């Protein structure tokens, strides 16, 4: 069965790389469980699925990944996005709070994690995020940065 | 000849209050049973337990990527983790995985070369792994087909390259937790 990572990497069941990926069923299943845990969690901690997918779309763009951008665009369209969330997904920075603070954080941690400081977490607190939301947001950011790298690596393998 | 660096373990402290065991929900307690390399319940684990679903899923994947049998040699996975941690600026992760690399190879030559920023001192296999780790960790990724060709030229097969991609990528994840949600202190 084709999963989200195969789709992102452009793999089909007759590719040698599709089979090579299955040499590690732990990675295949584990990555899918992780995807569900950050994008469709049973308990969303008050960060709604459409916000999560909109942020994922934004981070796919920051990582220069048109395949994942298109995939998240499709998912977002099915989740009844508001104008604000559509703008957020497209990379807009002029947003209402707490979205404006959230996207500043998302952009910083995606592009320059090295620059992260205590003050950045304080800004999330000031914008009204509680501790479970700060952790859930951090895991979502981290997951999309994982996903885009695995997909990028697999695409390079496929092309060589 | 370069002198060997001595890397002492760092302590990590969160910027937010971790979950206290006495106040944890059953789901949080259940999630905290699965810890990275099965150690005690650290402040890091208790911080991530604020969102037990993602913590549990990621820890299972993390442990598979770093410790699963066969495929890419353990030191090579540690080198991938180290390269990512240096690019992402996670000092805590860098020290942990530098030390683990030195333990597994019974040598601190590679780690010393990297801490002194002399990657040209690495052998061809380590150089190919480290260069790929750095380039794949950039945002956006700067890795190219030449990086994959370099890994294959030092003898890595498809399964090993897939293992390495995962080791580097999972630190694109771990570094964005550890370096973002807290800070490292010495001693």
């Amino acid at each position: 069965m084709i999963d989200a990572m195969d789709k992102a990497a452009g793999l089909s069941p007759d590719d040698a790389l599709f089979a090579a990926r299955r040499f590690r069923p732990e990675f295949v299943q584990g990555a899918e469980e992780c995807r569900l845990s950050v994008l469709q969690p049973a308990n969303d901690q008050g960060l709604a699925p459409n916000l999560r997918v909109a942020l994922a779309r934004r981070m796919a763009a920051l990582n220069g990944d048109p395949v994942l951008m298109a995939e998240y665009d499709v998912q977002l369209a099915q989740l009844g996005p508001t104008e604000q969330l559509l703008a957020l997904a497209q990379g807009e920075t002029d947003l209402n709070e707490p979205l404006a603070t959230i996207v500043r954080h998302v952009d910083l941690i995606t592009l320059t994690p090295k620059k992260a400081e205590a003050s950045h977490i304080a800004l999330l607190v000031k914008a009204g995020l509680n501790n479970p939301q700060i952790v859930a947001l951090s895991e979502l950011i981290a997951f999309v940065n994982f996903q885009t790298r695995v997909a990028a690596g697999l695409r390079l393998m496929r092309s060589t | 000849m370069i002198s060997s660096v001595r890397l002492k373990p760092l302590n990590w402290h969160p910027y937010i209050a971790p979950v206290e065991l006495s106040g944890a929900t059953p789901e949080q307690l259940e999630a905290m049973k699965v810890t990275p390399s099965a150690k005690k319940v650290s402040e890091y684990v208790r911080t991530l337990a604020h969102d037990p679903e993602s913590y549990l899923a990621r820890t299972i994947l993390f442990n598979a990527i770093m410790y699963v049998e066969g495929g890419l040699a353990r030191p090579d996975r540690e080198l991938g983790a180290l390269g990512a941690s240096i690019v992402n600026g996670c000092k805590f992760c860098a020290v942990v995985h530098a030390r683990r690399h030195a333990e597994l190879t019974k040598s601190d030559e590679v780690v010393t070369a990297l801490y002194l920023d002399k990657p040209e001192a690495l052998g061809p296999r380590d150089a190919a792994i480290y260069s790929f780790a750095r380039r794949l960790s950039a945002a956006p990724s700067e890795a190219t087909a030449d990086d994959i060709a370099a890994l294959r030229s030092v003898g890595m097969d498809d399964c090993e390259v897939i293992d390495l991609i995962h080791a580097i990528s999972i630190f694109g994840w771990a570094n964005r937790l550890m370096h973002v949600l807290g800070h490292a202190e010495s001693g």
Side-chain angles (χ1 to χ4, degrees), chain A residues 23-24 26-27 34 37 41-43 45 62-63 109-110 113-114 118 121 135 138-139 142-143 145-146 149-150 153 160, chain B residues 15-16 47 50-51 53-54 57 64 68-71 88 136 138-140 145 152 159 163 165 169 173 176 179-181:
Chain A
F23 175 67
R24 291 297 194 202
E26 306 92 333
F27 298 3
C34 284
S37 79
N43 176 355
Q45 310 285 10
L62 293 174
N63 274 294
I109 303 307
T110 296
K114 207 172 196 165
I121 296 298
V135 172
S138 301
E139 295 273 16
F143 168 78
N145 282 284
F146 164 82
R149 276 169 187 76
V150 174
T160 55
Chain B
Y15 296 137
I16 62 172
T47 300
H50 278 298
D51 188 44
E53 274 180 83
S54 60
V68 72
E69 296 280 318
N88 295 327
L136 188 62
R152 289 191 171 131
C159 291
D163 282 353
I165 288 169
S169 301
W173 187 327
R176 283 180 175 81
H179 185 60
V180 172
L181 291 171

Side-chain angles (χ1 to χ4, degrees), chain B residues 149-176:
Chain B
L151 295 171
R152 289 191 171 131
S153 76
V154 295
M156 284 172 65
D157 64 24
D158 276 359
C159 291
E160 290 173 306
V161 176
I162 288 174
D163 282 353
L164 180 61
I165 288 169
H166 282 82
I168 297 164
S169 301
I170 199 70
F171 277 82
W173 187 327
N175 297 154
R176 283 180 175 81

Side-chain angles (χ1 to χ4, degrees), chain B residues 76-139:
Chain B
D76 293 343
R77 299 182 209 184
E78 297 294 342
L79 183 55
L82 176 56
S85 300
I86 290 172
V87 169
N88 295 327
C90 186
K91 287 189 190 117
F92 183 91
C93 298
V95 169
V96 167
H97 296 281
R99 288 172 58 89
R100 220 163 268 167
H101 185 277
E103 284 162 19
L104 289 166
T105 58
K106 299 185 171 55
S107 161
D108 57 11
E109 273 181 35
V110 167
V111 167
T112 299
L114 297 182
Y115 268 82
L116 298 178
D117 199 19
K118 294 183 190 303
E120 64 278 9
L122 300 181
R125 183 183 177 89
D126 290 333
I129 291 171
Y130 182 68
S131 171
F132 180 55
R134 290 202 63 116
R135 293 160 62 88
L136 188 62
S137 297

Side-chain angles (χ1 to χ4, degrees), chain A residues 97 101-102 104-105 118-129:
Chain A
E97 290 296 349
T101 297
I102 289 173
R104 269 197 297 276
H105 186 75
S119 60
H120 300 122
I121 296 298
L123 288 173
L124 295 177
V125 173
K126 198 177 159 204
L129 275 71

